[in-house]
Amino acid sequence: MVDFSRRQALAATAGAAALAAASARAAPKSAPAASSRPVLPVIDLAPRERLSLDFDWRFKLGHAQDPAKDFGFGANQRTFAKAGATAANWQVSRLSDPAFDAGAWAPVTLPHDWAVELPFVDNPAYVPSGKPDDEDLRAAHGYKPLGREFPETSVGWYRKTFALPAADAGKRLSIEFDGAMRDALVIVNGYILEQEDSGYSPFRVDITDIANIGQENSLVVRVDASLGEGWFYEGAGLYRHVWLVKTAPVHVPQWGVFVRAKVDGTLTIDTDLVNDGDARAEFELLHTVLDAAGKPVLTPAAASDRLPAWERQSLSLTVALDNPVLWSLETPHLYTLVTEVKVGGAVVDRHATRFGFRSIAFDGAKGFLLNGQSVKLKGTCNHQDHAGVGAAIPDALQVWRLEQLKSMGCNAYRAAHNPPTPELLDACDRLGMVVIDETRRMSSDPTSMDELERLVRRDRNHPSVILWSIGNEEPQQGTARGAKVAATMKRLVNRLDPTRLVIAAMDSGFGEGISAVIDVQGFNYRHEKMDEFHARFPNVPVIGTESASTVATRGEYARDDAKLYVPAYDTEHPWWATTAEKWWSHAADRPWVAGGFIWTGFDYRGEPTPFNKWPSISSHFGALDTCGFPKDNYYYYRAWWRPEPLLHLLPHWNWEGREGQPIAVWAHSNCDKVELFLNGKSQGVRDVKPNHHVEWSVPYAPGVIEAHGYKGGKVVLRERRETAGPAAALRLTADRSRYAADGQDVAVLKVEVLDAKGRIVPRADDLVTFAVAGPGDVIGVGNGNPTSHEADVASQRKAFNGLCQAIVRTRRGQAGEVRVAASAPGLKTASVSLTAGT
């Protein structure tokens, strides 16, 4: 290793100035002008190229058992006999033939999840046992026909061609997959180059030796989702991005830069260099630190050395930046380290690394500290799943989902129970949300350790990441064997990243087994055992890694076992969980509890608790439903997780046929007092106890219920619910007005069913049809109904309790107006105009 410890920073050089100018010329094109989302400067990486391979794929289902229906794959035992063979009796499959015509296959754009397009399939063989935790195992994945029982829909083939110009001769070429669900076989120009089991880990395929330079190349990926990794909906296919990367022989490898930034401005930069060439290289290594505006603020002295052919070398540099702007939840300031490699005086590679200056600490008495200040973690756990698109969530939708969580007051995110897509962490960095980053499998076998290493190397520069999680409710969590496994995993994590601590989410065995190994004790539920644990281990930090787990159906206020709905009053939960109010009031009162992560932020497909049976297809856990529409519990958290006054009143006031019968009326509020009125008559004033709700029992009469929120004796907020009339019109709104015409940006559209006076009709279930004019397409629809079996990939959807959603994607390179109309029989049509631009 070459060490340049404590080199003094130099004034910005002409090279740094040129870099800043290049960054300014490469002004961000992806952020719409009307968006308030943070935008970072685009860095010109030339001569390195990292090109999207998301477009122009063709897709077709194969077959997990019949080679004849699986394009000849496995037709004989010669599959791996002759690399690159094209003869019919030796080739991997018929797709190995470069002349294979996939023109009749379905065109797809990545990210793509074929499982969300499949029908829902009942399991008539399921016989309930009557036990409390009884479940139909097919319900866990949302009744989608995946698995060994469904060979005809569990294998998918992706194929595309791409050209490599003659100028690529002499370059190193690779394809980077951010993730594929699952068991992916990558075939390039007829050669099997990679087989990746994990559905969540990123992987890289070097294609240099077999690439057709100056010609077309065929890329084929066979994805087999027969065997899952989770007990929740995981999707199927190339559901994350794919990239073509071109570098010089001497270059920074994937995840080859690690930046450690301290609040005093100390910056330690570890850089890996590889020489994938036949000649020894004399190189120079240069670093430039850019601030959030792209301005150079630090240029350390260049390093010079030689790198033998076909070797890898690590270099370390420690410098200091005066008065760095710290990354925090309120001001998530990001710096960019631009690394340049020169050979023969010419730049041959350029690499960019985002990072932030911040300190994190966990204390047994004070909880979590960010930049030395105690911060209560107000977090949510989430799977990668959204209505309409399944696991193939577009980047803009990832950002939108985080914005919904932040609007609730959420400041932390647990990626449960697997490595997230990297774009989610990018968004957390920009928006100011801290993350527990979690590996999928708790095991010390070579494959699991390799997946853990890829996770840490990929994500260790993100300032948002505060903990590495090595397991979740594992069978060995309370055992000596589990402690050995945890110690091996922790040793690897500490070697790769000595700046963060290790946690595991446990639901039993607290103080035993892996508790002695991990740095921070995660509690999945069982919050009543936290006090005892803290008394025994007062110096061990404690976090609620899964908390609450209220089950609620948006817009429903009575349990309905026939429809499989549960009320949204924060009253029902599984036996192993508790209500939102009971958990948060406990955690909020204990400064030594670092906070917690509710299960969950959003509803998700699968695990349809408390009804793990047909026809339920999604969970009821979320503070928001599968579309991101808030449930009433969203407002409970918002009242106590955000500082501004809030008053939310529930339920709706349409109870036809229940005149004179008592209706439970709740208010979630952080005011001092709340007074309720029914048709102008007071129903009483309630004092608001911190972290609790207030309620009344009101005999139903049509009209208006209205709540007044008091602070300091004055009314500061009013909230009302009116009895709505029949459905008369639709209202259509979009999350933004301007979008990037890049074929990836999406508009999130909300439909509300209104009566003639513009009031939401709380039980409306009208069928809404979406029509698009201009350069945009509906890629998914939803309504948050946990028992709906309507198609997600469609142009229509029924409203559920007055709401439904459509996701519209722009078209690549096609700017212009996108006009979306929403219509329903007998109702006034609504429309919205969007602008797609470059």
Side-chain angles (χ1 to χ4, degrees):
M1 173 177 286
V2 180
D3 186 17
F4 315 146
S5 179
R6 305 303 300 175
R7 291 268 191 177
Q8 294 297 314
L10 302 180
T13 63
L19 174 64
S23 300
R25 289 194 300 271
K29 297 181 179 180
S30 59
S35 173
S36 61
R37 296 173 180 178
V39 176
L40 294 172
V42 174
I43 306 302
D44 184 359
L45 297 180
R48 174 188 289 257
E49 295 182 80
R50 191 168 190 258
L51 308 172
S52 173
L53 289 182
D54 286 347
F55 299 98
D56 303 322
W57 289 85
R58 295 285 174 164
F59 172 79
K60 193 170 181 61
L61 289 171
H63 204 284
Q65 294 179 0
D66 187 347
K69 297 178 181 178
D70 204 32
F71 305 102
F73 180 72
N76 56 61
Q77 289 187 297
R78 295 178 175 183
T79 302
F80 292 91
K82 298 288 185 181
T86 57
N89 55 339
W90 289 100
Q91 63 190 5
V92 177
S93 80
R94 294 197 299 276
L95 302 183
S96 301
D97 185 350
F100 182 87
D101 183 8
W105 291 17
V108 298
T109 296
L110 306 186
H112 175 252
D113 174 7
W114 87 71
V116 77
E117 303 175 26
L118 299 175
F120 299 95
V121 178
D122 192 5
N123 181 18
Y126 170 64
V127 178
S129 68
K131 297 179 180 180
D133 283 336
D134 186 41
E135 62 173 333
D136 181 353
L137 295 182
R138 289 214 193 138
H141 282 72
Y143 287 105
K144 289 295 185 176
L146 294 174
R148 296 193 67 191
E149 298 169 289
F150 301 98
E152 67 280 1
T153 51
S154 295
V155 170
W157 289 85
Y158 292 84
R159 188 179 191 276
K160 75 171 278 121
T161 60
F162 61 96
L164 293 172
D168 285 343
K171 295 181 180 179
R172 303 301 300 182
L173 308 170
S174 61
I175 299 174
E176 294 178 358
F177 293 81
D178 286 345
M181 184 59 66
R182 181 189 178 270
D183 190 7
L185 189 75
V186 180
I187 307 169
V188 180
N189 295 333
Y191 287 77
I192 295 177
L193 297 186
E194 186 68 43
Q195 186 163 8
E196 173 60 45
D197 290 337
S198 171
Y200 300 101
S201 294
F203 61 99
R204 174 180 174 272
V205 181
D206 191 311
I207 67 170
T208 305
D209 292 345
I210 53 81
N212 296 325
I213 305 299
Q215 302 176 52
E216 288 289 312
N217 293 262
S218 68
L219 170 57
V220 175
V221 185
R222 182 183 187 268
V223 182
D224 188 345
S226 297
L227 303 178
E229 295 177 58
W231 50 99
F232 41 85
Y233 178 87
E234 299 180 282
L238 298 180
Y239 74 116
R240 293 181 178 175
H241 296 301
V242 179
W243 309 90
L244 173 64
V245 179
K246 306 177 183 181
T247 67
V250 179
H251 63 277
V252 177
Q254 186 180 33
W255 314 319
V257 176
F258 180 26
V259 181
R260 286 171 279 175
K262 297 183 178 180
V263 293
D264 65 358
T266 302
L267 199 62
T268 300
I269 305 167
D270 296 329
T271 307
D272 290 346
L273 285 181
V274 295
N275 181 2
D276 289 338
D278 292 324
R280 184 183 68 181
E282 306 282 345
F283 70 85
E284 280 188 285
L285 182 66
L286 304 93
H287 296 294
T288 303
V289 177
L290 309 178
D291 65 13
K295 176 185 176 183
V297 293
L298 182 65
T299 306
S304 300
D305 208 337
R306 62 185 58 180
L307 187 57
W310 302 106
E311 286 197 11
R312 184 179 184 128
Q313 188 175 93
S314 296
L315 303 97
S316 184
L317 168 67
T318 300
V319 292
L321 175 66
D322 292 334
N323 301 315
V325 180
L326 301 188
W327 186 95
S328 68
L329 301 178
E330 298 77 21
T331 56
H333 189 96
L334 290 172
Y335 288 87
T336 304
L337 175 71
V338 179
T339 301
E340 293 181 325
V341 182
K342 287 186 177 181
V343 175
V347 175
V348 297
D349 190 33
R350 186 175 281 124
H351 185 277
T353 306
R354 306 280 192 205
F355 70 96
F357 288 90
R358 56 99 176 101
S359 70
I360 53 175
F362 289 87
D363 184 272
K366 299 179 181 178
F368 172 63
L369 296 93
L370 178 63
N371 300 329
Q373 301 297 315
S374 292
V375 174
K376 202 77 161 182
L377 295 174
K378 303 167 184 175
T380 65
C381 302
N382 294 283
H383 292 308
Q384 183 166 328
D385 174 34
H386 192 89
V389 295
I393 301 180
D395 297 348
L397 184 56
Q398 296 276 16
V399 174
W400 183 88
R401 285 164 58 90
L402 289 173
E403 289 173 337
Q404 308 319 299
L405 295 177
K406 282 184 68 70
S407 73
M408 187 174 72
C410 179
N411 63 14
Y413 188 103
R414 178 177 172 223
H417 304 285
N418 48 262
T421 188
E423 288 74 24
L424 182 133
L425 294 181
D426 291 340
C428 288
D429 288 344
R430 296 194 307 272
L431 295 174
M433 185 175 290
V434 296
V435 177
I436 294 181
D437 209 350
E438 190 161 276
T439 194
R440 173 66 293 278
R441 295 189 289 180
M442 183 181 173
S443 178
S444 55
D445 66 88
T447 299
S448 297
M449 294 292 282
D450 177 59
E451 292 174 8
L452 176 60
E453 179 163 355
R454 279 181 273 167
L455 168 69
V456 176
R457 285 189 179 276
R458 186 195 71 172
D459 295 346
R460 60 188 177 177
N461 289 308
H462 288 281
S464 59
V465 175
I466 59 171
L467 285 167
W468 302 112
S469 175
I470 60 172
N472 177 77
E473 300 181 6
E474 304 298 331
Q476 70 268 32
Q477 62 188 344
T479 68
R481 176 181 293 167
K484 293 178 182 179
V485 171
T488 298
M489 298 178 75
K490 182 182 175 184
R491 187 164 54 247
L492 174 63
V493 171
N494 291 163
R495 176 173 64 82
L496 297 170
D497 176 21
T499 71
R500 297 177 179 88
L501 300 181
V502 171
I503 191 173
M506 299 175 63
D507 64 342
S508 65
F510 306 107
E512 302 172 353
I514 67 174
S515 285
V517 178
I518 57 180
D519 303 305
V520 179
Q521 179 65 60
F523 274 78
N524 278 13
Y525 315 106
R526 316 298 193 269
H527 75 267
E528 70 280 359
K529 296 185 178 183
M530 286 182 175
D531 291 358
E532 176 189 355
F533 179 90
H534 181 63
R536 291 173 60 199
F537 308 100
N539 296 322
V540 177
V542 170
I543 293 179
T545 36
E546 281 181 28
S547 303
S549 276
T550 295
V551 287
T553 309
R554 177 183 57 77
E556 296 292 327
Y557 298 97
R559 185 181 176 105
D560 191 326
D561 287 346
K563 293 182 177 180
L564 307 186
Y565 296 154
V566 282
Y569 281 113
D570 191 26
T571 54
E572 299 207 16
H573 57 83
W575 67 266
W576 38 261
T578 187
T579 63
E581 186 171 308
K582 188 172 184 180
W583 164 71
W584 178 247
S585 61
H586 180 275
D589 289 342
R590 289 159 173 78
W592 50 267
V593 176
F597 296 77
I598 66 170
W599 191 265
T600 52
F602 295 86
D603 281 346
Y604 56 94
R605 287 172 175 78
E607 284 196 312
T609 312
F611 305 110
N612 284 307
K613 60 184 181 180
W614 184 267
S616 282
I617 49 89
S618 73
S619 80
H620 295 69
F621 292 120
L624 305 103
D625 67 16
T626 54
C627 292
F629 296 138
K631 302 181 189 177
D632 294 289
N633 257 16
Y634 164 98
Y635 296 97
Y636 167 76
Y637 288 113
R638 181 164 178 166
W640 304 113
W641 283 7
R642 291 180 63 116
E644 66 271 15
L646 179 130
L647 176 59
H648 173 74
L649 186 62
L650 64 145
H652 59 74
W653 207 238
N654 277 72
W655 298 99
E656 296 83 353
R658 293 191 57 182
E659 285 75 10
Q661 298 180 24
I663 303 294
V665 177
W666 285 26
H668 292 309
S669 180
N670 53 17
C671 293
D672 301 333
K673 301 174 183 291
V674 179
E675 184 174 11
L676 182 70
F677 298 85
L678 170 62
N679 294 327
K681 183 178 180 181
S682 177
Q683 304 296 300
V685 179
R686 301 288 186 266
D687 292 331
V688 178
K689 182 180 178 182
N691 303 309
H692 291 72
H693 75 282
V694 293
E695 63 179 276
W696 301 258
S697 180
V698 180
Y700 176 64
V704 178
I705 53 172
E706 182 171 78
H708 292 181
Y710 294 86
K711 272 188 174 292
K714 296 181 179 180
V715 175
V716 295
L717 292 173
R718 289 181 171 86
E719 180 85 354
R720 58 194 283 136
R721 298 285 178 264
E722 298 185 39
T723 304
L730 301 178
R731 180 163 60 205
L732 180 64
T733 53
D735 64 316
R736 293 172 284 151
S737 61
R738 296 184 62 84
Y739 302 83
D742 59 2
Q744 291 283 8
D745 204 0
V746 296
V748 183
L749 303 182
K750 175 183 179 181
V751 174
E752 299 165 285
V753 182
L754 309 177
D755 70 2
K757 294 184 177 181
R759 299 170 295 202
I760 294 179
V761 182
R763 292 196 180 95
D765 62 354
D766 301 81
L767 180 62
V768 178
T769 299
F770 298 93
V772 181
D777 302 282
V778 176
I779 63 169
V781 293
N783 60 14
N785 185 347
T787 59
S788 173
H789 296 169
E790 298 169 88
D792 283 273
V793 182
S795 59
Q796 62 181 30
R797 187 73 168 206
K798 282 187 175 182
F800 175 61
N801 289 336
L803 302 175
C804 64
Q805 182 179 82
I807 300 168
V808 173
R809 185 172 62 200
T810 63
R811 294 177 186 166
R812 182 174 49 154
Q814 297 185 36
E817 182 185 26
V818 180
R819 190 160 188 84
V820 185
S823 61
L827 306 185
K828 184 179 179 181
T829 297
S831 64
V832 65
S833 181
L834 316 172
T835 300
T838 56

